[in-house]
Amino acid sequence: MSQANALMVTGAVIGLVLGSSMGIAVGGTAYNAAVFLTPLGAFIGWLISRSIGGATKQAAAGVEPATSVQERPQEAVSENSVSDVPNRDFFERLVWSVLALLATLWNFQIDLLDKVGVLPTFVRQPLLFAGLCIVISVFFPPALVIYFLAWLGANHFKISEETSYRATIK
């Protein structure tokens, strides 16, 4: 199973699990949210696979995608066939995909903190991440579990003060 397929399957399963307990009411009728969230989760998994795979391969090659395909088609094919991710079996790819999706959620939070302008404060005082988790979970209790799982996923990809606590997903 390829990295993109593993991320899409994982996203679809997460969408199915989350959507199975929700509903969407539209136009006088109601639908199970899994009908909507399962393909949305697969699409998000695909987007994450494109951002992980496309950017790292192009940055490593030092070329733009248009020039690599038009001017050197043989090299582009060989670059796409060689993966930076080690060969993993099915179960390992699915676990890696779950961790990558959670690390992406963590990176989203880091990007929000950066946009607000408080990320340097959080980098200097890492316990503020725990404080933010507690404050959010007061208003939305499931956030405690989601935040902790996102931290675990990001921690798998070696977050540190040097990277401003951003997970580098490879």
Side-chain angles (χ1 to χ4, degrees), residues 55-146:
T56 56
K57 288 177 186 174
Q58 293 165 6
V63 294
E64 296 179 42
T67 59
S68 65
V69 172
Q70 293 173 354
E71 294 177 7
R72 300 180 303 206
Q74 295 297 342
E75 291 180 19
V77 170
S78 65
E79 288 173 7
N80 290 336
S81 63
V82 177
S83 177
D84 295 337
V85 179
N87 193 8
R88 298 183 175 113
D89 66 356
F90 178 76
F91 181 71
E92 287 175 341
R93 281 203 184 266
L94 288 181
V95 170
W96 181 89
S97 298
V98 169
L99 292 172
L101 287 170
L102 291 170
T104 303
L105 182 63
W106 177 266
N107 284 345
F108 176 72
Q109 172 228 336
I110 296 294
D111 290 341
L112 284 177
L113 291 174
D114 191 26
K115 294 288 184 195
V116 173
V118 296
L119 184 61
T121 306
F122 276 75
V123 170
R124 283 192 310 271
Q125 300 288 328
L127 284 177
L128 287 175
F129 287 113
L132 178 65
C133 174
I134 292 168
V135 168
I136 292 172
S137 66
V138 166
F139 299 105
F140 184 64
L144 183 65
V145 174
I146 295 168

Side-chain angles (χ1 to χ4, degrees), residues 1-15 38 41-50 52 83 85-102 157 169-170:
M1 176 179 275
S2 72
Q3 177 181 357
N5 288 343
L7 282 165
M8 288 188 317
V9 167
T10 303
V13 168
I14 290 172
T38 301
F43 179 68
I44 291 171
W46 177 77
L47 286 176
I48 292 171
S49 73
R50 301 302 291 174
I52 292 170
S83 177
V85 179
N87 193 8
R88 298 183 175 113
D89 66 356
F90 178 76
F91 181 71
E92 287 175 341
R93 281 203 184 266
L94 288 181
V95 170
W96 181 89
S97 298
V98 169
L99 292 172
L101 287 170
L102 291 170
F157 292 104
I169 304 170
K170 293 181 189 178

